[in-house]
């Protein structure tokens, strides 16, 4: 397992504090993050791969400071966004998955084989030459996930990957997340999807207000919103 | 028209993207110069034969050509009014033949193959342009077309739902705002996916 460490992390946007003195050591395989809208979940997730640098404190992934080693950290940490349309940058399914391998500079045959394997695994092989915009919402999110996994990151961070999907597609996408070998940090509103997780954090007003087993954390969250 | 590749194994599919692009450019020049309507008709028939060679279903051919036929429905009568019907027929044949050939190329060539050959072409211009980057920017532009279409559609729909009709500004402003938000989010995703080196 990789180790994600937050050392007294505070983050402000334009002077407004959105994360306040957060210290964490995350080394579990399945980590859930729940909390109300605007509580700071996305900021927490973005800090893990250096998309956002902390205003104060440090975030380390396997000892690497994300603010200083952003690129190396992002090779280890794949990120799945809420809206796959913003994450898919190439016109067709295959091209988008292949785009992720650019930075690895593999030879063409090796890259093609990896792309095919990723497409196959997420049930996208038959859609490989389809324009990305013709996919369904669920297929788009699976494409985003395939494009992240083809680069073989050690950690996957997903920020509400099912929020824009209908119940059936949310379940399909979640099943694929459940099967990942990678360490997973999942931000979600679906409390049932963190039921079997190793550890769940509850974020409220920029602080971690509960941190423990799913039962404990979900219980604390339910009390909070009551 | 863009991103409409139909997989296949015909001779046209197998022909290199560079050859097809150069061929397309040359054909368009020739078609532009053809002086007689019957020559243009032959050019159009040849272009349509191309679809048969590539085994493109007629339905797909129609889909590709319908937009240009709509435009001609307006443009041809105008042309006839000002320059006579012979000129209108020639103009219509010319435009349809060119669009058909362009469609033939996009239907039988992967976007990535087109980009590769554009990249190779750019390399001829030396190192002032990074061909790899230009290729990716082109691909992203192609990807942005359906995203923009979707944004405009959603804004128009929201406007209709609220029963607001009115100024162009009422459409332009939200379209602009949403486009900038999308561009911002895509920029972030590009960094996350390693396109910051
Ligand atoms: N780029 C930004 N600029 C300014 N404020 C932001 C930005 N991103 C988020 N915020 C603000 O920070 C707070 C926490 O946001 P976020 O981390 O997205 O929460 P969550 O994901 O839990 O909804 C919110 O009040 C939000 O408005
Ligand atoms: Mg969020």
């Amino acid at each position: 397992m990789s180790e994600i460490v937050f050392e007294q992390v505070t983050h402000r946007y334009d002077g407004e504090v959105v994360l306040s003195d957060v210290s964490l050591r995350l080394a579990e395989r399945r980590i859930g993050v729940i909390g109300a809208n605007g509580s700071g979940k996305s900021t927490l997730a973005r800090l893990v791969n250096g998309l956002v640098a902390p205003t104060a404190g440090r975030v380390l992934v396997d000892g690497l400071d994300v603010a200083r080693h952003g690129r190396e950290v992002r090779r280890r940490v794949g990120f799945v966004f809420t809206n796959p349309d913003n994450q898919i940058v190439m016109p067709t399914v295959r091209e988008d998955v292949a785009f992720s391998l650019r930075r690895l500079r593999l030879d063409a045959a090796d890259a093609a084989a990896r792309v095919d394997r990723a497409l196959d695994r997420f049930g996208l092989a038959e859609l490989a030459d389809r324009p990305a915009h013709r996919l369904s919402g669920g297929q788009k999110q699976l494409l985003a996930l395939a494009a992240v996994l083809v680069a073989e990151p050690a950690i996957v961070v997903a920020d509400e990957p099912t929020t824009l999907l209908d119940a059936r597609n949310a379940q399909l996408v979640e099943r694929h997340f459940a099967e990942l070998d990678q360490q997973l940090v999942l931000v979600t509103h679906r409390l049932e999807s963190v039921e079997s997780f190793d550890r769940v954090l509850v974020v409220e007003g920029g602080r971690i207000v509960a941190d423990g087993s799913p039962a404990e954390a979900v219980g604390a969250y339910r009390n909070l919103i009551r | 028209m863009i991103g409409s590749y139909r997989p296949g194994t015909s001779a046209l599919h197998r022909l290199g993207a560079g050859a097809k692009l150069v061929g397309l450019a040359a054909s368009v020049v020739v078609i532009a110069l053809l002086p007689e309507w019957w020559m243009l008709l032959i050019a159009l028939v040849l272009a349509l034969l191309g679809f048969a060679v590539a085994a493109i279903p007629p339905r797909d051919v129609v889909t590709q050509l319908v937009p240009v036929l709509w435009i001609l429905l307006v443009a041809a009568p105008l042309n006839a009014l000002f320059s006579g019907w012979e000129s209108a027929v020639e103009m219509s044949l010319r435009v349809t033949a060119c669009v058909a050939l362009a469609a033939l190329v996009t239907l039988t060539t992967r976007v990535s193959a087109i980009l590769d050959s554009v990249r190779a072409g750019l390399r001829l211009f030396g190192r002032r342009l990074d061909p790899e980057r230009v290729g990716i920017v082109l691909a992203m532009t192609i990807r942005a077309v359906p995203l923009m279409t979707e944004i405009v559609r959603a804004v128009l729909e929201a406007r209709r739902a609220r029963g607001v009709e009115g100024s162009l500004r009422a459409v332009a402003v939200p379209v602009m705002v949403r486009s900038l938000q999308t561009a911002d989010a895509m920029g972030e995703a590009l960094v996350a996916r390693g396109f910051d080196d």
Side-chain angles (χ1 to χ4, degrees):
Chain A
M1 261 332 93
S2 290
E3 186 184 56
I4 303 164
V5 174
F6 281 62
E7 288 177 350
Q8 298 173 327
V9 172
T10 293
H11 191 74
R12 295 189 194 89
Y13 285 117
D14 316 318
E16 188 201 350
V17 175
V18 296
L19 273 188
S20 171
D21 195 27
V22 172
S23 291
L24 287 168
R25 185 183 163 277
L26 305 170
E28 292 76 9
R29 190 161 165 270
R30 292 287 180 264
I31 298 154
V33 179
I34 57 180
N37 289 334
S39 56
K41 303 182 300 297
S42 294
T43 307
L44 185 85
R46 282 172 162 77
L47 281 163
V48 176
N49 73 344
L51 285 176
V52 167
T55 323
R58 293 200 301 168
V59 178
L60 307 166
V61 174
D62 290 333
L64 287 172
D65 184 337
V66 303
R68 289 197 293 140
H69 302 279
R71 263 176 222 157
E72 278 147 274
V73 168
R74 284 188 282 276
R75 281 183 196 210
R76 290 173 199 230
V77 184
F79 201 101
V80 180
F81 293 85
T82 308
N83 186 351
D85 264 329
N86 296 337
Q87 180 159 7
I88 299 168
V89 296
M90 288 286 136
T92 69
V93 172
R94 185 197 303 281
E95 288 161 329
D96 192 68
V97 174
F99 178 79
S100 301
L101 295 178
R102 256 189 83 252
R103 62 179 147 183
L104 301 186
R105 315 217 168 274
L106 307 171
D107 70 77
D110 197 9
R114 265 167 85 160
V115 169
D116 282 340
R117 253 181 286 137
L119 291 173
D120 214 31
R121 171 165 174 198
F122 293 98
L124 297 168
E126 296 195 339
L127 306 172
D129 291 309
R130 226 24 112 71
H133 66 91
R134 298 233 191 99
L135 301 186
S136 72
Q139 289 168 336
K140 281 181 187 170
Q141 197 56 286
L142 290 179
L143 168 56
L145 186 55
V148 163
L149 285 182
V150 75
E152 299 178 358
I155 305 172
V156 174
V157 177
D159 186 5
E160 299 190 34
T162 57
T163 298
L164 298 178
L165 303 179
D166 60 50
R168 201 163 127 239
N169 278 300
Q171 238 174 32
L172 172 72
V173 168
E174 246 164 33
R175 211 174 315 128
H176 281 283
F177 271 101
E179 284 170 8
L180 296 184
D181 296 324
Q182 275 83 357
Q183 186 171 5
L184 172 67
V185 178
L186 176 69
V187 179
T188 185
H189 283 297
R190 288 163 54 90
L191 300 180
E192 70 269 27
S193 50
V194 296
E195 261 167 16
S196 61
F197 276 29
D198 304 311
R199 180 171 174 187
V200 177
L201 312 175
V202 182
V203 187
E204 172 67 22
R207 294 176 187 277
I208 311 293
V209 296
D211 176 358
S213 71
E216 286 164 9
V218 169
Y221 183 55
R222 289 227 159 92
N223 282 333
L224 203 66
I225 58 182
R226 184 172 300 144
Chain B
M1 170 140 164
I2 275 162
S4 48
Y5 175 68
R6 294 283 177 281
T9 52
S10 75
L12 272 168
H13 282 88
R14 281 177 281 131
L15 192 63
K20 277 186 272 194
L21 288 178
V22 171
L24 174 62
S27 310
V28 168
V29 170
V30 170
I31 290 171
L33 295 175
L34 289 177
E36 299 289 338
W37 70 269
W38 56 268
M39 297 180 185
L40 289 163
L41 188 62
I42 291 174
L44 179 58
V45 169
L46 286 176
L48 294 177
L49 272 179
F51 288 104
V53 170
I56 305 285
R59 192 162 37 89
D60 288 349
V61 180
V62 172
T63 313
Q64 295 291 318
L65 294 183
V66 159
V68 73
L69 295 181
W70 277 111
I71 294 171
L72 288 178
L73 208 62
V74 178
L78 283 177
N79 191 304
L81 201 65
F82 291 113
S83 336
W85 66 269
E86 290 106 332
S87 161
V89 169
E90 281 172 16
M91 185 273 296
S92 301
L93 286 170
R94 227 184 279 280
V95 170
T96 312
C98 288
V99 170
L101 283 173
L104 189 57
V105 172
T106 55
L107 283 166
T108 58
T109 319
R110 280 204 175 87
V111 174
S112 56
I114 293 181
L115 293 178
D116 282 342
S117 59
V118 169
R119 236 171 273 161
L122 284 173
R123 246 170 239 132
L124 301 177
F125 292 100
R127 50 176 89 92
R128 245 170 310 162
L129 286 167
D130 176 354
E132 169 83 18
R133 271 173 192 257
V134 173
I136 285 173
V137 169
L138 279 177
M140 289 180 58
T141 309
I142 292 171
R143 163 81 185 127
V145 172
L147 290 181
M148 284 299 297
T149 313
E150 174 54 29
I151 287 172
V152 172
R153 194 199 58 73
V155 167
L156 288 176
E157 192 177 86
R159 194 172 76 130
R160 235 175 293 125
R162 279 176 295 161
V164 203
E165 298 295 325
S167 71
L168 185 66
R169 228 182 110 222
V171 178
V173 172
V175 166
M176 204 105 87
V177 169
R178 287 201 207 188
S179 308
L180 288 175
Q181 283 169 345
T182 301
D184 202 37
M186 279 190 111
E188 189 180 39
L190 274 176
V191 174
R193 298 188 59 185
F195 193 61
D196 57 342
D197 46 359

